[in-house]
Amino acid sequence: MHFNFGIFFNMSCILNIDTSTDVCSVAVSEDGACIYHAEDFEGPNHAQKLGGYIDEALSFADSHAIPLDAVAVSSGPGSYTGLRIGVSMAKGVCYGAGVPLISVPTLELLCVPVLLGRMELEEEALLCPMIDARRMEVYAAVYDRALHVERETRADVVDADTYREYLDHRPVYFFGPGAKKCMPVVDHPNAHYIDGIQPLAKYMFPLAEKRIAQGKTEDVAYFTPFYLKDFVAKKRGEK
């Protein structure tokens, strides 16, 4: 494992929800482990799948006599509609169960499978998770291996110089649903690409448990996702 997430296990059972991309995923975690998860990669099918996944996850916890302590939801950036659905459902569970709401930034969530993976990262390596936006645009941030923010989340129009200030000095690992846009245009000796990384609910618990330990909860009534950009309706067939 590449990174100590600073988890303080406190017998927490968390319902984790991610709908930030076309993938719909739900997981139940307890004491620092994922004990149940469901995922749909055929989407976006959030409106059709999410409610059923949540019911199944809560039924699993109930059948094992595990009381729910919190709900964690991916807070964006990402799909406007997906985030709205995910946060709305998370709030509904929080109201019904009387438990707190935890928000987890989507780009930070993307880093978890990389940091917990088998690939050996250089000590000075930077992580650049990316969510696909429109055309040559991505939502991206830059972190170090301890998930300290080197550059805040932005909507980037990708060209050969977009990340040069980091690439000229340190290895940078690009990954996530938006990283494919960089591959043809960001050609630098320090640029590395990791395939197959998605923001999934089963990876959320280290970040969620850390936030619980730090007392970082959201106001259920007033919390809104981090959309980053206003909603723009797509034309038929547009990506």
Side-chain angles (χ1 to χ4, degrees):
M1 184 168 66
H2 301 295
F3 174 62
N4 179 2
F5 287 91
I7 303 168
F8 300 90
F9 301 127
N10 56 356
M11 302 299 289
S12 296
C13 174
I14 306 172
L15 174 68
N16 304 273
I17 300 169
D18 181 85
T19 53
S20 59
T21 65
D22 286 353
V23 181
C24 179
S25 64
V26 171
V28 177
S29 59
E30 183 186 29
D31 304 340
C34 178
I35 58 175
Y36 173 92
H37 67 93
E39 295 149 2
D40 176 72
F41 293 89
E42 304 300 323
N45 295 316
H46 309 313
Q48 293 78 28
K49 296 286 187 177
L50 184 59
Y53 282 175
I54 289 175
D55 286 344
E56 292 166 7
L58 293 175
S59 294
F60 173 87
D62 186 62
S63 68
H64 289 76
I66 304 172
L68 185 66
D69 294 305
V71 178
V73 66
S74 184
S75 60
S79 161
Y80 185 98
T81 301
L83 291 170
R84 180 171 53 81
I85 292 171
V87 169
S88 296
M89 292 293 289
K91 286 184 174 186
V93 177
C94 288
Y95 277 122
V99 297
L101 177 67
I102 309 295
S103 68
V104 174
T106 305
L107 295 176
E108 195 172 329
L109 170 60
L110 270 170
C111 294
V112 174
V114 173
L115 292 168
L116 297 183
R118 297 180 179 179
M119 178 180 292
E120 290 297 328
L121 304 179
E122 298 89 341
E123 191 66 33
E124 72 277 15
L126 295 176
L127 308 178
C128 186
M130 294 178 159
I131 295 288
D132 192 8
R134 304 179 74 199
R135 301 182 179 90
M136 280 306 294
E137 197 168 39
V138 296
Y139 302 133
V142 180
Y143 300 90
D144 67 14
R145 281 182 46 180
L147 287 186
H148 297 137
V149 178
E150 295 282 333
R151 200 212 70 177
E152 297 287 347
T153 300
R154 298 178 192 166
D156 293 331
V157 178
V158 180
D159 61 34
D161 296 321
T162 305
Y163 306 102
R164 184 172 295 277
E165 64 179 291
Y166 305 102
L167 289 164
D168 282 346
H169 303 285
R170 301 166 70 175
V172 181
Y173 288 81
F174 299 95
F175 51 88
K180 288 183 179 180
K181 289 185 177 181
C182 282
M183 294 181 71
V185 293
V186 180
D187 183 15
H188 190 286
N190 274 336
H192 307 279
Y193 295 92
I194 306 175
D195 292 331
I197 302 298
Q198 294 279 359
L200 300 177
K202 66 182 179 183
Y203 299 129
M204 195 177 293
F205 69 87
L207 303 176
E209 291 215 4
K210 184 176 181 179
R211 281 165 170 76
I212 290 175
Q214 294 171 337
K216 294 182 178 180
T217 62
E218 304 294 343
D219 186 312
V220 177
Y222 294 104
F223 175 74
T224 58
F226 177 41
Y227 294 118
L228 189 59
K229 294 173 64 178
D230 293 334
F231 174 71
V232 178
K234 295 181 180 179
K235 298 178 182 178
R236 184 181 297 274
E238 183 178 12
K239 296 183 178 181

